[in-house]
């Protein structure tokens, strides 16, 4: 049986949480994320700050290509 999808990207309606799941059965690292707007990340001065919705948006924009390149060895365009 062939599945019609390589992966699933889940984002809540407010853009506060996101997660990527690779659906290929042989994937060595099938889950990317989750990323939440409330996650603490290093700020410009190194002090922890909330990542915010922009961090979630950045994850959504790049997660599939990053996953395919790093964990599957595929080059995407």
């Amino acid at each position: 049986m062939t599945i019609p999808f390589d992966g699933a990207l889940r984002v809540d309606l407010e853009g506060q949480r996101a997660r990527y799941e690779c659906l290929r059965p042989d994937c060595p690292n099938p889950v990317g994320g989750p990323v939440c707007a409330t996650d603490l990340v290093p700020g410009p001065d190194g002090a922890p700050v909330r990542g915010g919705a922009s961090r979630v948006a950045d994850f959504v924009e790049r997660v599939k290509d990053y996953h395919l390149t790093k964990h599957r060895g595929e080059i995407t365009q």
Side-chain angles (χ1 to χ4, degrees):
M1 179 177 147
T2 303
I3 56 174
F5 306 104
D6 289 336
L9 178 61
R10 295 175 173 95
V11 183
D12 71 6
L13 293 175
E14 291 84 30
Q16 299 294 304
R17 294 178 297 274
R19 174 181 134 148
Y20 178 78
E21 183 177 350
C22 182
L23 300 175
R24 296 176 183 185
D26 60 337
C27 183
N29 190 34
V31 177
V35 174
C36 299
T38 57
D39 290 345
L40 293 176
V41 298
D45 62 355
V49 296
R50 303 253 182 239
S54 63
R55 182 167 182 264
V56 175
D58 181 53
F59 173 83
V60 167
E61 184 176 318
R62 65 183 177 77
V63 68
K64 183 179 178 186
D65 288 341
Y66 174 80
H67 176 82
L68 291 176
T69 302
K70 179 168 178 147
H71 300 294
R72 309 267 325 149
E74 299 176 21
I75 304 298
T76 60
Q77 297 183 30

